[in-house]
Amino acid sequence: MMELTMDGAVYQFHFGMGFMKEINKRATKTPNADLPEVKQNIGLQLAVAGLLDGDVETLADVLDVANKGQKPRVTTEKLYRYIDDEDTDIDGLFESVLDFLKRGNATKKITGAVMELVEKEREKAKKNA
């Protein structure tokens, strides 16, 4: 469980099955054109890619979902203020969230696969540059 202190209050963020199911519902794809009614949830994959790209909006969404069901519940405004605060180590926050996603039983396989794919694409882009 990840903890962040905002305005003197400690908030917990859990990256388990509930988190995965909730974040996954945020995006779907049709894996087979012949079966357009069949959808696959891919929200976690897109979230990991966004975190690797340094997308702050994705970071805020991931933290919001990870705090769902926790007490106390951080408000969106407080979370945004924390991210906007110049004293917040935003790079460290990205690293911490990715680290928890890499270690969680529910998220580590997908997170590792996305990270590997992104790294291969970055290496390919360097070679072609």
Side-chain angles (χ1 to χ4, degrees):
M1 179 119 16
M2 183 174 126
E3 292 184 344
L4 294 174
T5 303
M6 299 176 209
D7 295 335
V10 177
Y11 297 93
Q12 296 181 331
F13 301 84
H14 184 64
F15 300 93
M17 279 299 298
F19 165 81
M20 187 189 71
K21 297 218 24 112
E22 180 68 28
I23 201 84
N24 254 348
K25 290 190 286 187
R26 295 182 174 216
T28 60
K29 73 174 184 174
T30 303
N32 185 335
D34 294 332
L35 300 169
E37 68 280 358
V38 176
K39 304 286 186 202
Q40 180 180 14
N41 292 333
I42 59 167
L44 179 58
Q45 292 154 315
L46 294 177
V48 171
L51 291 170
L52 290 170
D53 284 344
D55 185 327
V56 179
E57 187 175 358
T58 298
L59 176 64
D61 287 344
V62 165
L63 288 171
D64 181 59
V65 173
N67 181 247
K68 190 173 183 178
Q70 303 300 312
K71 292 190 177 136
R73 178 83 165 112
V74 68
T75 64
T76 302
E77 295 79 22
K78 189 174 282 192
L79 184 57
Y80 287 177
R81 278 196 314 270
Y82 180 77
I83 289 171
D84 286 339
D85 188 331
E86 62 186 37
D87 291 330
T88 297
D89 176 7
I90 196 75
D91 295 325
L93 186 55
F94 274 106
E95 287 177 29
S96 292
V97 170
L98 283 166
D99 186 52
F100 276 92
L101 291 172
K102 286 189 286 190
R103 291 186 291 136
N105 282 341
T107 57
K108 66 184 173 184
K109 284 191 116 6
I110 290 172
T111 301
V114 172
M115 292 179 80
E116 187 177 311
L117 181 63
V118 167
E119 185 58 34
K120 285 179 183 176
E121 289 299 316
R122 286 180 178 166
E123 288 176 16
K124 191 187 317 182
K126 282 182 187 178
K127 288 179 184 177
N128 293 333

